[in-house]
């Protein structure tokens, strides 16, 4: 089981602290009452996806004994116009440098997408919610 704690700092600002101790500022845009003091939640989702697939690809290419000299990703997400304004399409452009045969890079990307990237595979996860108010657990699970 993995756990994170997210605390409201006032206004639209939150701080998320992971089990590894890293603190991530989260905030909304000024036009919806935020202060632009942190990443937006949907931005964090794209960051998580890129980080997950990036780690997979580096590990896979290293197992193939290939030398990656530089690696970056541009991730674009198209969102629905209506609420909940979910991502309807996500495109990742991988830019790699090194002596890297195209077929090996394509295989690493495919393996990450189809088998290893837990973030990608979690985007359709069933999510349940429970709540407590003033220390009293709510009666229903949502």
């Amino acid at each position: 089981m993995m756990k994170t704690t997210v605390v409201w700092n006032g206004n639209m600002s939150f701080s998320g602290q992971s089990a590894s101790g890293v603190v991530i500022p989260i905030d909304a845009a000024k036009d919806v009452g935020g202060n632009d003091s942190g990443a937006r939640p949907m931005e964090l989702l794209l960051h998580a996806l890129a980080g997950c697939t990036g780690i997979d690809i580096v590990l896979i290419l290293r197992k193939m004994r290939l030398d990656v000299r530089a690696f970056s990703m541009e991730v674009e997400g198209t969102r629905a116009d209506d609420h909940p304004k979910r991502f309807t399409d996500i495109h990742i452009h991988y830019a790699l440098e090194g002596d890297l045969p195209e077929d090996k890079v394509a295989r690493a990307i495919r393996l990450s997408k189809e088998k290893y990237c837990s973030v990608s595979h979690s985007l359709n996860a069933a999510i349940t919610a429970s709540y407590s108010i003033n220390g009293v657990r709510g009666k229903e699970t949502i």
Side-chain angles (χ1 to χ4, degrees), residues 25-73:
I26 306 165
D27 200 0
K30 288 183 179 183
D31 64 342
V32 294
N35 294 317
D36 282 329
S37 65
R40 311 291 182 270
M42 294 299 277
E43 292 172 336
L44 290 170
L45 186 63
L46 293 180
H47 281 279
L49 178 60
C52 183
T53 188
I55 290 168
D56 288 344
I57 289 166
V58 169
L59 287 171
I60 293 165
L61 292 174
R62 283 183 178 169
K63 285 182 182 179
M64 293 178 183
R65 300 184 190 275
L66 296 172
D67 184 33
V68 179
R69 288 195 304 266
F71 182 17
S72 64
M73 291 164 277

Side-chain angles (χ1 to χ4, degrees), residues 101-133:
E102 183 180 349
D103 63 324
K104 302 287 187 185
V105 170
R107 178 166 167 67
I109 292 169
R110 195 173 303 106
L111 282 168
S112 175
K113 182 180 179 198
E114 295 173 1
K115 185 173 182 179
Y116 293 113
C117 183
S118 54
V119 173
S120 175
H121 288 275
S122 296
L123 291 175
N124 293 321
I127 299 172
T128 58
S130 61
Y131 60 91
S132 59
I133 301 171

Side-chain angles (χ1 to χ4, degrees), residues 63-100:
K63 285 182 182 179
M64 293 178 183
R65 300 184 190 275
L66 296 172
D67 184 33
V68 179
R69 288 195 304 266
F71 182 17
S72 64
M73 291 164 277
E74 289 183 13
V75 185
E76 296 178 347
T78 302
R79 294 181 67 182
D81 292 331
D82 298 322
H83 288 285
K85 297 187 179 182
R86 68 180 187 86
F87 285 121
T88 57
D89 185 61
I90 298 173
H91 176 79
I92 305 171
H93 175 78
Y94 301 93
L96 297 104
E97 292 181 21
D99 186 17
L100 302 167

